[in-house]
């Protein structure tokens, strides 16, 4: 029996304007959209179209100029810094293209850092599953500088998954990876959605990566121009 998916994130009339007067850039132009719980969404579009801005505003990393963002029933637009930081820590996981790993901590400590910051204990079972799925077992005692680019990226993915965040946002998570490592990362994100009911929103410029998603949004000039369900890479190529 099909159940109606519940909404996990909503943007209503969200705009983001950078700069002043004649140097103004409208990075997001009055965007309204819903995201369902347990769905994997890919965001595509030309460079400079507003993909990263959409992701950042959605996840409370950047303030909207106007409009409302609601996540899990909490309207995060208008929250003060501290409650916003706590909200992000408790509900949102991030994967960036620049890995933002802590150079002085080894791989295991980097993975466990979000749990430590939240004062939470690791679910050993899940931790082991993540470590093995990302093939990091042999590298747990290595510092980031002793890891390859691909290994650092996998470490960043592990760190984002370890808290099992309600919402996982990723900005070009496979951008620096070779084909094999990209596949691994996408499979893991896919599994997080299918097996754990996590919600993933991922920016990518790779139609093959987007094909892994349940839904693909195309962004142009700060607007969502297409909203596609289970498109093939070919269908994506035709509109993107
Ligand atoms: P994308 O991720 O699709 O490449 P972005 O969301 O990074 O696009 O940027 C959208 C637009 O907003 C671009 O014109 C970009 O130059 C501008 N922009 C992004 N961040 C800033 C910023 N911090 N200050 C000024 N302009 C910005
Ligand atoms: Mg970007």
């Amino acid at each position: 029996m099909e159940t109606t998916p519940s909404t996990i994130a909503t943007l209503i009339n969200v705009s983001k304007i950078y700069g002043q007067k004649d140097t103004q850039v409208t990075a997001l132009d009055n965007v309204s959209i819903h995201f369902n719980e347990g769905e994997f969404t890919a965001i595509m579009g030309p460079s400079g179209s507003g993909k990263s801005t959409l992701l950042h505003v959605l996840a409370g990393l950047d303030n909207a100029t106007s409009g409302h963002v609601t996540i899990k029933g909490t309207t995060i637009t208008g929250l003060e810094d501290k409650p916003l930081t706590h909200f992000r820590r408790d509900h949102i996981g991030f994967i960036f293209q620049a890995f933002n790993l802590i150079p002085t901590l080894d791989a295991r400590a980097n993975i466990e850092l979000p749990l430590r910051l939240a004062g939470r204990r690791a679910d050993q079972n899940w931790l082991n599953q993540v470590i093995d799925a990302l093939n990091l077992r042999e590298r747990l005692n290595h510092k980031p500088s002793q890891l390859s680019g691909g290994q650092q990226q996998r470490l960043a993915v592990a760190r984002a998954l370890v808290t099992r965040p309600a919402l996982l946002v990723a900005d070009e998570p496979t951008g620096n990876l070779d084909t094999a490592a990209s596949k691994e990362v996408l499979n893991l994100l896919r599994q997080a959605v299918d097996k754990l009911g996590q919600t993933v929103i991922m920016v990518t410029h790779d139609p093959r990566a987007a094909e892994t998603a349940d839904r693909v949004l195309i962004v142009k000039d700060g607007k969502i121009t297409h909203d596609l369900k289970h498109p093939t890479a070919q269908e994506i190529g035709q509109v993107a």
Side-chain angles (χ1 to χ4, degrees), residues 44 207 218 228 231-240:
M44 300 192 72
I218 311 290
L228 311 167
T232 61
Q234 201 187 359
E235 287 166 334
I236 296 165
Q238 280 165 4
V239 293

Side-chain angles (χ1 to χ4, degrees), residues 18-19 25-27 45-54 62 171-172 203:
Y18 289 111
V25 175
T26 303
S47 179
S49 58
K51 304 181 295 297
S52 294
T53 305
L54 176 59
D62 208 345
D171 200 347
E172 310 235 13
V203 169

